[in-house]
Amino acid sequence: MAPRNELPERRERISALGVIAPPPIHVQTPTFDGSLGTLFQLVRDHRVDLLDVPLFPICEAYFAYLMAMERTDLDEAAAALSALAYLLERKAWLLLPVPDPEPDLMEEVMDPEEPTSHEYQAAIQALQIWHEERACLFFRSPDAGPDPYELPYTLANVGPSDLARAFERLLRKAEPEEVRPLNKPRKSLAEQMKMVLLAVSHEWKALEELVTEPFTRTEAVYWFLALLELMRLGQVQARLEGEEVQFARS
């Protein structure tokens, strides 16, 4: 309650609740026409939908009221600002999205869907056919059926294990090498094949005799791959002499 020694003019502006009433600021919007105090009262009593009331004209009216005041009355200005702040806060809360309630799945009886695997039967059969055709060309030994894989070159009495042992003996003589960056350009196998073809003659020689020392493990790998490719092309042939594999031009 207001103190007893309050000035008469101040007492006239105090409402029944003991607070300063807002000044008669006129608010005119497409959905409301009246004073700020009236709008505050209607919104507080839930008699006006604040979502339909634009607050920008109300803020303009309050600013115009402050600019037009001849004498600063902080009580009235504070009361109007409190009413305006209340409206802004209420509308901000109303504009916040409200999460939708989760649907009750028990209310709806959903029929189980029919299996649709038959729609992909044609694709499954095509994949099986392609897998069988691929198995006839890749990842199988020379003796695999139904159509044996024909090697494009003749190895005579040289077997894969003989070639592996020859390559292993070559790697033992290789020197260690520095680690190279992955992005460094590497030698072309075609260039290595030309180099190997120049080194191989019609005289039978072992792999260690063909490769000039010193060499690294990487160079040994390139030599061996180039020899295999030249054998596949029929330009180099191999034979087993005792336990040693020898190479010569075809």
Side-chain angles (χ1 to χ4, degrees), residues 146-184:
D147 300 325
Y149 178 67
E150 295 181 1
L151 296 176
Y153 50 87
T154 303
L155 291 178
N157 60 343
V158 179
S161 58
D162 301 321
L163 292 173
R165 284 194 297 270
F167 181 53
E168 184 179 359
R169 287 194 296 267
L170 183 66
L171 288 178
R172 291 199 194 102
K173 295 185 177 182
E175 296 184 354
E177 55 186 320
E178 297 180 357
V179 179
R180 297 182 178 181
L182 296 177
N183 58 351
K184 187 174 181 179

Side-chain angles (χ1 to χ4, degrees), residues 9 13 65-66 68-74 76-77:
E9 58 180 4
R13 294 177 296 167
Y65 157 75
L66 294 178
M69 288 178 58
E70 297 180 358
R71 181 173 56 87
T72 304
D73 192 335
L74 296 181
E76 288 189 352

Side-chain angles (χ1 to χ4, degrees), residues 28-64:
Q28 185 174 5
T29 66
T31 55
F32 177 81
D33 190 354
S35 66
L36 177 61
T38 303
L39 178 61
F40 170 80
Q41 185 71 30
L42 294 176
V43 170
R44 191 182 62 177
D45 296 342
H46 304 287
R47 297 171 59 186
V48 170
D49 189 0
L50 193 56
L51 288 176
D52 298 333
V53 180
L55 296 184
F56 179 73
I58 302 175
C59 295
E60 281 187 327
Y62 175 72
F63 182 74

Side-chain angles (χ1 to χ4, degrees), residues 70-238:
E70 297 180 358
R71 181 173 56 87
T72 304
D73 192 335
L74 296 181
D75 291 334
E76 288 189 352
L81 182 60
S82 299
L84 182 59
Y86 172 81
L87 297 177
L88 290 172
E89 182 184 11
R90 292 304 304 165
K91 187 159 188 179
W93 276 104
L94 293 174
L95 291 176
L96 289 177
V98 179
D100 297 332
E102 296 184 1
D104 189 0
L105 301 180
M106 299 299 295
E107 295 181 357
E108 299 181 2
V109 180
M110 300 181 62
D111 297 332
E113 297 183 359
E114 297 182 359
T116 59
S117 58
H118 63 279
E119 298 180 1
Y120 304 95
Q121 193 64 33
I124 295 174
Q125 293 178 356
L127 290 175
Q128 290 176 344
I129 294 174
W130 293 342
H131 177 73
E132 294 173 358
E133 293 177 351
R134 187 173 184 271
C136 295
L137 300 176
F138 305 101
F139 305 109
R140 62 194 182 95
S141 64
D143 299 330
D147 300 325
Y149 178 67
E150 295 181 1
L151 296 176
Y153 50 87
T154 303
L155 291 178
N157 60 343
V158 179
S161 58
D162 301 321
L163 292 173
R165 284 194 297 270
F167 181 53
E168 184 179 359
R169 287 194 296 267
L170 183 66
L171 288 178
R172 291 199 194 102
K173 295 185 177 182
E175 296 184 354
E177 55 186 320
E178 297 180 357
V179 179
R180 297 182 178 181
L182 296 177
N183 58 351
K184 187 174 181 179
R186 298 183 179 273
K187 185 186 301 183
S188 170
L189 185 60
E191 296 177 358
Q192 183 67 31
M193 290 170 57
K194 294 179 182 179
M195 183 186 307
V196 173
L197 195 58
L198 292 176
V200 177
S201 63
H202 294 287
E203 181 182 356
W204 293 95
K205 293 184 180 181
L207 184 57
E208 297 96 314
E209 299 175 343
L210 295 175
V211 185
T212 304
E213 296 187 26
F215 58 88
T216 63
R217 296 176 66 90
T218 302
E219 292 173 339
V221 171
Y222 272 93
W223 259 91
F224 188 71
L225 293 177
L227 267 177
L228 293 180
E229 186 65 15
L230 289 172
M231 292 166 60
R232 186 188 70 83
L233 296 175
Q235 300 181 24
V236 174
Q237 54 185 340

